[in-house]
Amino acid sequence: MHCTTTDLDRKEQKLDNLLRSYGRVAIGFSGGVDSTMLLRKSLDVLGKENVLAVIADTPSLPRRELAEALSLAADMHAECVTVNPDELSDPSYASNPSDRCYFCKRHLFETIRAKAADLGFDCILDGNNADDEGDYRPGRRAARELGVKSPLQEAALSKADIRMISDRLHLPTALKPAMACLASRVPYGTPVTSEVLSRIEQAEESLRALGFTHCRVRHHADVARIEVPPGDLEHLVDQAVRERIVRKIKNAGYAFVTLDLQGYRTGSLNEVKKSDQPS
């Protein structure tokens, strides 16, 4: 259910007030819907000299997404830097426990904080929104521990709200599909390596090249499990399309290619019992 325009205006005003209270801010910027709107609003409210966009250039970020983030920051005339949190060097992350995101975000925010401090920015922001509160997100603990602020969440802005504001601001990301890191395609307990992430990226890029803009390739050792929206299933199983997909994904390094008949959904690898997840 979408909020009324009045409700949206009220939330946007709260966001503006929060931003004004922060002073100089460094934003963890990915080029996604949330962080792009947050960067645009921060620039508008605080001025270019008080805003830093920080992009984490890691193997879990597709090269296409990195290029888009850099282009977006340049288009907004934002000061932008890249950092490498080097999370793969941490066995606590690379072993891929169910709280992998905690270790990822810990490295990310520590690296952003150090770079921001060097450049005179002492308030770190992330793009979490109100919808994220109900999901399993162990990375939120790292953000709290390091004092990272989430103004979109504090302003009670949902993903739908953020898309509406993005449309008002004429941002090209208003309708951009959700994009989680490549490591989210790897089942817990399966080690995350740069080779695995590269294989997933190549497989997903081959699907996008065939027109499947909403897709995931879940990594199960030698098996690639494809998720696309139910409306795309008929096109995917067309013989000519299917043969091209199988060939391209096998070229990425998989021995077997399967299709998830339940279809695309975010966080499908989180479909485990709550009792199996750390508190």
Side-chain angles (χ1 to χ4, degrees):
M1 179 178 179
H2 297 310
C3 66
T4 66
T5 301
T6 301
D7 287 338
L8 187 61
D9 289 342
R10 176 178 50 79
K11 292 180 181 182
E12 189 173 3
Q13 185 60 57
K14 182 173 181 179
L15 173 62
D16 290 352
N17 292 338
L18 285 167
L19 292 173
R20 289 190 187 97
S21 72
Y22 297 150
R24 308 191 78 213
V25 301
I27 299 170
F29 182 61
S30 67
V33 180
D34 302 328
S35 65
T36 298
M37 192 276 273
L38 180 58
L39 178 58
R40 177 71 272 164
K41 290 293 292 181
S42 298
L43 290 166
D44 291 345
V45 172
L46 299 173
K48 175 184 175 181
E49 66 280 5
N50 294 314
V51 179
L52 176 69
V54 186
I55 302 173
D57 181 7
T58 78
S60 65
L61 179 69
R63 300 300 86 188
R64 172 180 46 80
E65 292 292 318
L66 172 62
E68 287 184 11
L70 289 168
S71 178
L72 281 166
D75 288 344
M76 288 188 276
H77 305 288
E79 182 178 358
C80 180
V81 296
T82 60
V83 296
N84 181 5
D86 194 26
E87 68 273 23
L88 283 173
S89 67
D90 181 358
S92 296
Y93 169 88
S95 63
N96 199 14
S98 60
D99 58 347
R100 176 197 68 241
C101 285
Y102 168 78
F103 300 102
C104 174
K105 295 298 186 184
R106 184 88 199 182
H107 282 275
L108 171 66
F109 292 131
E110 286 178 341
T111 306
I112 290 178
R113 186 170 64 178
K115 172 60 75 172
D118 287 345
L119 297 175
F121 297 84
D122 55 7
C123 183
I124 311 301
L125 309 184
D126 70 16
N128 277 277
N129 64 60
D131 293 341
D132 296 329
E133 294 186 58
D135 197 6
Y136 173 59
R137 292 181 179 266
R140 298 299 302 135
R141 177 161 59 97
R144 288 193 300 270
E145 290 173 355
L146 294 170
V148 175
K149 298 185 183 299
S150 304
L152 302 180
Q153 193 171 71
E154 286 191 55
L157 286 160
S158 67
K159 178 71 79 174
D161 297 332
I162 293 164
R163 291 189 185 280
M164 290 175 67
I165 294 173
S166 298
D167 185 57
R168 285 181 179 179
L169 296 171
H170 306 292
L171 294 173
T173 51
L175 298 177
K176 184 175 181 177
M179 176 65 200
C181 76
L182 293 172
S184 68
R185 281 59 152 172
V186 185
Y188 297 132
T190 299
V192 178
T193 67
S194 58
E195 292 77 15
V196 164
L197 297 174
S198 177
R199 189 191 301 183
I200 294 167
E201 179 177 5
Q202 185 179 340
E204 289 193 354
E205 286 301 315
S206 69
L207 286 172
R208 288 191 175 85
L210 292 171
F212 297 97
T213 55
H214 291 67
C215 65
R216 294 287 186 270
V217 174
R218 308 294 182 183
H219 173 88
H220 301 276
D222 288 334
V223 178
R225 174 168 60 89
I226 299 172
E227 294 178 9
V228 296
D232 286 345
L233 290 174
E234 184 175 354
H235 177 52
L236 190 146
V237 298
D238 172 84
Q239 182 174 348
V241 175
R242 177 170 51 83
E243 289 176 352
R244 291 179 68 187
I245 288 172
V246 169
R247 182 173 65 254
K248 287 178 175 295
I249 292 183
K250 284 192 172 184
N251 285 343
Y254 290 98
F256 306 99
V257 183
T258 67
L259 175 61
D260 190 324
L261 296 180
Q262 192 172 342
Y264 166 79
R265 63 243 186 242
T266 59
S268 71
L269 291 179
N270 280 341
E271 292 170 1
V272 297
K273 296 179 180 178
K274 278 286 186 181
S275 59
D276 293 334
Q277 298 172 354
S279 59

